[in-house]
Amino acid sequence: MFAIGKTDIGKLRLENQDKFRVCVIDDDTVFAVVCDGMGGAASGGLASEMTSNAVYERIQLSYRTDMEPKSVKSLLVSAVEAANAIVYNKSIEDKSNAGMGTTCVTALVHKNLLSITSVGDSRAYLIDKTGIIQITNDHTVVEMLHARGIISEMEMKTHKMKNVITRAVGVDKTVEPDYFEVDLNGGEYVLICTDGLTNLVTDEDIYAMVYKQPIEHAVNELINTANAHGGKDNITAVLISV
Protein backbone atom coordinates (compact mmCIF):
# COMPACT_ATOMS: atom_id res chain seq x y z
CA MET A 1 0.00 0.00 0.00
CA PHE A 2 1.35 3.39 -1.03
CA ALA A 3 0.24 7.00 -0.58
CA ILE A 4 1.30 10.40 -1.81
CA GLY A 5 -0.13 13.91 -1.67
CA LYS A 6 0.55 17.24 -3.34
CA THR A 7 -0.84 20.75 -3.02
CA ASP A 8 -0.45 23.75 -5.33
CA ILE A 9 -1.44 27.39 -4.99
CA GLY A 10 -2.90 27.47 -8.50
CA LYS A 11 -2.62 30.41 -10.88
CA LEU A 12 -4.87 33.08 -9.34
CA ARG A 13 -4.77 32.87 -5.54
CA LEU A 14 -2.23 34.74 -3.42
CA GLU A 15 -2.22 32.14 -0.65
CA ASN A 16 -2.65 28.38 -0.50
CA GLN A 17 -5.38 27.71 2.07
CA ASP A 18 -5.45 23.97 1.30
CA LYS A 19 -3.70 21.70 3.80
CA PHE A 20 -3.15 17.95 3.88
CA ARG A 21 -1.48 15.28 5.98
CA VAL A 22 -0.79 11.71 4.96
CA CYS A 23 0.80 8.78 6.78
CA VAL A 24 1.51 5.14 5.99
CA ILE A 25 0.91 3.74 9.48
CA ASP A 26 2.07 0.22 8.58
CA ASP A 27 2.08 -2.15 5.59
CA ASP A 28 -1.70 -2.56 5.83
CA THR A 29 -2.81 0.90 6.97
CA VAL A 30 -2.80 4.41 5.48
CA PHE A 31 -4.42 7.58 6.80
CA ALA A 32 -4.87 10.93 5.05
CA VAL A 33 -6.74 14.18 5.61
CA VAL A 34 -7.38 17.06 3.18
CA CYS A 35 -8.80 20.47 4.12
CA ASP A 36 -9.77 23.54 2.08
CA GLY A 37 -9.99 26.69 4.20
CA MET A 38 -12.50 29.52 3.98
CA GLY A 39 -12.43 32.94 5.59
CA GLY A 40 -10.92 36.39 5.16
CA ALA A 41 -7.21 37.18 5.12
CA ALA A 42 -5.22 34.25 6.51
CA SER A 43 -8.12 32.80 8.50
CA GLY A 44 -9.01 30.10 5.97
CA GLY A 45 -5.45 28.83 5.94
CA LEU A 46 -5.39 28.86 9.72
CA ALA A 47 -8.65 26.89 9.93
CA SER A 48 -7.48 24.26 7.47
CA GLU A 49 -4.07 23.95 9.12
CA MET A 50 -5.57 23.62 12.61
CA THR A 51 -8.08 21.05 11.40
CA SER A 52 -5.68 18.89 9.40
CA ASN A 53 -3.18 18.87 12.26
CA ALA A 54 -5.79 18.18 14.97
CA VAL A 55 -7.37 15.30 13.06
CA TYR A 56 -4.02 13.81 12.07
CA GLU A 57 -2.64 13.99 15.60
CA ARG A 58 -5.74 12.39 17.11
CA ILE A 59 -5.52 9.48 14.69
CA GLN A 60 -1.80 9.08 15.32
CA LEU A 61 -2.42 9.04 19.06
CA SER A 62 -5.51 6.82 19.25
CA TYR A 63 -5.69 4.52 16.22
CA ARG A 64 -4.91 0.84 16.74
CA THR A 65 -4.78 -1.71 13.95
CA ASP A 66 -6.93 -4.16 15.95
CA MET A 67 -9.87 -1.73 16.14
CA GLU A 68 -13.29 -2.95 15.06
CA PRO A 69 -14.93 -0.94 12.24
CA LYS A 70 -17.40 0.70 14.64
CA SER A 71 -14.47 1.92 16.76
CA VAL A 72 -12.73 3.28 13.66
CA LYS A 73 -15.91 5.17 12.77
CA SER A 74 -16.14 6.60 16.29
CA LEU A 75 -12.50 7.69 16.19
CA LEU A 76 -12.71 9.39 12.79
CA VAL A 77 -15.96 11.19 13.56
CA SER A 78 -14.77 12.32 16.99
CA ALA A 79 -11.49 13.55 15.51
CA VAL A 80 -13.36 15.87 13.14
CA GLU A 81 -15.72 16.99 15.91
CA ALA A 82 -12.74 17.80 18.15
CA ALA A 83 -11.10 19.79 15.36
CA ASN A 84 -14.38 21.68 14.91
CA ALA A 85 -14.33 22.71 18.57
CA ILE A 86 -10.72 23.90 18.30
CA VAL A 87 -11.36 26.04 15.21
CA TYR A 88 -14.69 27.38 16.49
CA ASN A 89 -13.17 28.43 19.82
CA LYS A 90 -10.30 30.13 18.03
CA SER A 91 -12.74 32.05 15.83
CA ILE A 92 -14.69 33.46 18.78
CA GLU A 93 -11.55 34.28 20.79
CA ASP A 94 -10.15 36.48 18.02
CA LYS A 95 -12.57 38.66 16.02
CA SER A 96 -10.14 38.77 13.10
CA ASN A 97 -10.84 35.07 12.62
CA ALA A 98 -14.63 35.33 12.94
CA GLY A 99 -16.47 33.05 10.53
CA MET A 100 -13.44 31.06 9.49
CA GLY A 101 -13.89 27.41 8.62
CA THR A 102 -12.72 24.61 6.39
CA THR A 103 -13.82 21.58 4.50
CA CYS A 104 -12.41 18.28 5.73
CA VAL A 105 -12.25 14.86 4.11
CA THR A 106 -10.39 11.94 5.68
CA ALA A 107 -9.55 8.46 4.43
CA LEU A 108 -8.33 5.53 6.47
CA VAL A 109 -7.52 2.30 4.64
CA HIS A 110 -6.86 -0.79 6.71
CA LYS A 111 -6.48 -4.02 4.76
CA ASN A 112 -9.78 -4.44 2.86
CA LEU A 113 -11.78 -1.62 4.46
CA LEU A 114 -11.90 2.05 3.48
CA SER A 115 -13.36 4.46 6.07
CA ILE A 116 -14.20 8.04 5.05
CA THR A 117 -15.43 11.14 6.86
CA SER A 118 -16.49 14.29 5.03
CA VAL A 119 -17.57 17.86 5.75
CA GLY A 120 -17.99 20.39 2.95
CA ASP A 121 -17.25 19.91 -0.75
CA SER A 122 -13.81 18.32 -0.73
CA ARG A 123 -14.27 14.83 -2.12
CA ALA A 124 -13.26 11.19 -1.87
CA TYR A 125 -13.28 8.92 -4.93
CA LEU A 126 -12.80 5.20 -5.46
CA ILE A 127 -11.08 4.28 -8.71
CA ASP A 128 -10.89 0.69 -9.95
CA LYS A 129 -11.28 -1.43 -13.08
CA THR A 130 -14.99 -0.60 -13.27
CA GLY A 131 -14.47 3.17 -13.30
CA ILE A 132 -14.53 6.11 -10.89
CA ILE A 133 -17.12 6.60 -8.14
CA GLN A 134 -17.56 9.65 -5.91
CA ILE A 135 -17.96 8.32 -2.37
CA THR A 136 -18.74 11.58 -0.58
CA ASN A 137 -21.66 13.96 -0.97
CA ASP A 138 -21.01 17.66 -1.53
CA HIS A 139 -22.42 19.87 1.22
CA THR A 140 -23.25 22.72 -1.13
CA VAL A 141 -26.23 24.92 -1.99
CA VAL A 142 -26.37 23.60 -5.55
CA GLU A 143 -26.34 19.98 -4.35
CA MET A 144 -29.25 20.80 -2.06
CA LEU A 145 -31.16 22.52 -4.89
CA HIS A 146 -30.52 19.58 -7.20
CA ALA A 147 -31.67 17.08 -4.59
CA ARG A 148 -34.94 19.01 -4.30
CA GLY A 149 -35.41 19.02 -8.07
CA ILE A 150 -35.08 22.80 -8.34
CA ILE A 151 -32.08 22.78 -10.72
CA SER A 152 -30.71 20.20 -13.16
CA GLU A 153 -27.33 18.52 -13.04
CA MET A 154 -26.24 20.68 -15.97
CA GLU A 155 -27.35 23.85 -14.17
CA MET A 156 -25.28 22.86 -11.13
CA LYS A 157 -22.08 23.39 -13.10
CA THR A 158 -22.73 27.06 -13.83
CA HIS A 159 -24.96 28.15 -10.95
CA LYS A 160 -23.82 31.36 -9.25
CA MET A 161 -23.82 29.60 -5.86
CA LYS A 162 -21.96 26.48 -6.97
CA ASN A 163 -19.11 27.14 -4.52
CA VAL A 164 -21.25 28.01 -1.49
CA ILE A 165 -20.99 25.24 1.07
CA THR A 166 -23.66 24.41 3.63
CA ARG A 167 -21.48 22.63 6.17
CA ALA A 168 -17.92 23.35 7.33
CA VAL A 169 -15.58 22.62 10.20
CA GLY A 170 -15.31 25.49 12.69
CA VAL A 171 -18.21 27.69 11.58
CA ASP A 172 -20.71 26.43 14.15
CA LYS A 173 -20.31 25.13 17.68
CA THR A 174 -20.92 21.57 16.49
CA VAL A 175 -20.58 19.76 13.18
CA GLU A 176 -21.90 16.46 11.85
CA PRO A 177 -19.45 14.68 9.52
CA ASP A 178 -20.74 12.22 6.96
CA TYR A 179 -19.27 8.73 7.33
CA PHE A 180 -18.80 6.03 4.68
CA GLU A 181 -17.37 2.51 4.60
CA VAL A 182 -16.30 0.75 1.41
CA ASP A 183 -15.07 -2.84 1.10
CA LEU A 184 -11.92 -3.18 -0.98
CA ASN A 185 -10.59 -6.09 -3.02
CA GLY A 186 -7.12 -4.81 -3.90
CA GLY A 187 -6.04 -2.96 -7.02
CA GLU A 188 -8.10 0.14 -6.18
CA TYR A 189 -7.01 3.75 -5.86
CA VAL A 190 -8.48 6.17 -3.32
CA LEU A 191 -8.38 9.88 -4.19
CA ILE A 192 -9.20 12.64 -1.71
CA CYS A 193 -9.04 16.16 -3.07
CA THR A 194 -10.27 19.74 -2.95
CA ASP A 195 -12.62 21.43 -5.40
CA GLY A 196 -9.70 23.22 -7.01
CA LEU A 197 -9.20 19.90 -8.80
CA THR A 198 -12.75 18.70 -9.33
CA ASN A 199 -14.10 22.03 -10.60
CA LEU A 200 -11.60 21.94 -13.46
CA VAL A 201 -10.91 18.27 -14.21
CA THR A 202 -13.64 15.82 -15.17
CA ASP A 203 -14.14 12.46 -13.49
CA GLU A 204 -13.30 10.78 -16.80
CA ASP A 205 -9.98 12.61 -17.04
CA ILE A 206 -9.18 11.87 -13.40
CA TYR A 207 -9.76 8.18 -14.08
CA ALA A 208 -7.51 8.20 -17.16
CA MET A 209 -4.70 9.90 -15.24
CA VAL A 210 -4.90 7.67 -12.16
CA TYR A 211 -5.89 4.10 -12.99
CA LYS A 212 -2.87 1.81 -13.38
CA GLN A 213 -0.51 4.77 -13.33
CA PRO A 214 2.33 5.35 -10.82
CA ILE A 215 0.69 7.43 -8.10
CA GLU A 216 3.43 10.07 -7.93
CA HIS A 217 3.10 10.66 -11.67
CA ALA A 218 -0.70 10.63 -11.38
CA VAL A 219 -0.80 13.26 -8.63
CA ASN A 220 1.48 15.54 -10.65
CA GLU A 221 -0.71 15.07 -13.72
CA LEU A 222 -3.85 15.96 -11.77
CA ILE A 223 -2.30 19.17 -10.43
CA ASN A 224 -0.81 20.13 -13.80
CA THR A 225 -4.09 19.53 -15.62
CA ALA A 226 -6.08 21.68 -13.19
CA ASN A 227 -3.56 24.47 -13.70
CA ALA A 228 -3.69 24.01 -17.47
CA HIS A 229 -7.46 24.48 -17.25
CA GLY A 230 -7.07 27.81 -15.47
CA GLY A 231 -5.85 27.02 -11.96
CA LYS A 232 -8.60 29.21 -10.49
CA ASP A 233 -8.22 27.84 -6.96
CA ASN A 234 -5.75 26.05 -4.72
CA ILE A 235 -5.42 22.41 -5.80
CA THR A 236 -4.77 19.44 -3.49
CA ALA A 237 -4.84 15.71 -4.18
CA VAL A 238 -3.88 12.69 -2.11
CA LEU A 239 -3.73 9.27 -3.78
CA ILE A 240 -3.68 5.92 -2.00
CA SER A 241 -2.86 2.79 -3.96
CA VAL A 242 -4.38 -0.30 -2.35
Side-chain angles (χ1 to χ4, degrees):
M1 197 179 301
F2 303 96
I4 190 168
K6 184 175 182 180
T7 189
D8 189 270
I9 195 171
K11 291 190 170 183
L12 300 182
R13 298 297 175 92
L14 299 177
E15 178 195 5
N16 191 347
Q17 295 192 344
D18 287 2
K19 306 295 178 185
F20 78 93
R21 301 288 300 270
V22 59
C23 177
V24 178
I25 296 174
D26 60 29
D27 290 344
D28 296 319
T29 314
V30 170
F31 175 74
V33 55
V34 166
C35 298
D36 179 359
M38 47 175 273
S43 296
L46 177 62
S48 61
E49 182 172 16
M50 291 174 68
T51 298
S52 60
N53 288 341
V55 172
Y56 181 86
E57 289 165 7
R58 194 176 182 97
I59 301 304
Q60 286 281 84
L61 179 66
S62 302
Y63 177 75
R64 304 187 315 276
T65 56
D66 62 349
M67 277 183 165
E68 294 293 326
K70 65 180 181 180
S71 297
V72 173
K73 175 182 178 180
S74 178
L75 175 60
L76 291 176
V77 170
S78 66
V80 177
E81 290 173 338
N84 184 83
I86 292 170
V87 175
Y88 178 77
N89 288 336
K90 181 70 172 178
S91 72
I92 60 177
E93 289 169 3
D94 185 344
K95 290 184 178 180
S96 67
N97 294 320
M100 72 173 177
T102 182
T103 70
C104 181
V105 58
T106 74
L108 194 150
V109 180
H110 177 62
K111 294 185 177 178
N112 64 342
L113 185 66
L114 166 63
S115 302
I116 298 281
T117 60
S118 172
V119 177
D121 63 352
S122 293
R123 295 178 177 177
Y125 289 90
L126 182 68
I127 298 166
D128 63 15
K129 62 183 179 182
T130 66
I132 178 170
I133 298 172
Q134 182 180 334
I135 300 170
T136 52
N137 301 313
D138 294 346
H139 299 140
T140 60
V141 170
V142 295
E143 186 66 37
M144 179 180 65
L145 294 174
H146 178 255
R148 295 177 179 176
I150 297 172
I151 62 173
S152 68
E153 188 170 345
M154 184 65 67
E155 288 173 316
M156 292 172 67
K157 297 177 181 179
T158 57
H159 197 280
K160 63 182 180 180
M161 299 186 74
K162 65 174 292 187
N163 295 319
V164 179
I165 61 176
T166 56
R167 198 183 307 182
V169 173
V171 173
D172 297 312
K173 191 172 183 179
T174 61
V175 72
E176 182 181 355
D178 288 347
Y179 179 78
F180 308 87
E181 284 183 0
V182 180
D183 292 324
L184 303 173
N185 299 305
E188 296 99 340
Y189 300 81
V190 178
L191 169 67
I192 60 173
C193 58
T194 58
D195 66 346
L197 175 68
T198 55
N199 281 341
L200 295 175
V201 184
T202 66
D203 288 2
E204 293 77 14
D205 285 343
I206 290 173
Y207 182 82
M209 284 182 269
V210 171
Y211 188 60
K212 289 196 171 180
Q213 301 298 319
I215 61 172
E216 183 172 5
H217 173 76
V219 165
N220 286 330
E221 282 291 292
L222 293 171
I223 300 291
N224 292 341
T225 302
N227 275 322
H229 291 174
K232 297 177 182 178
D233 199 353
N234 307 145
I235 312 153
T236 301
V238 173
L239 266 176
I240 302 169
S241 174
V242 181

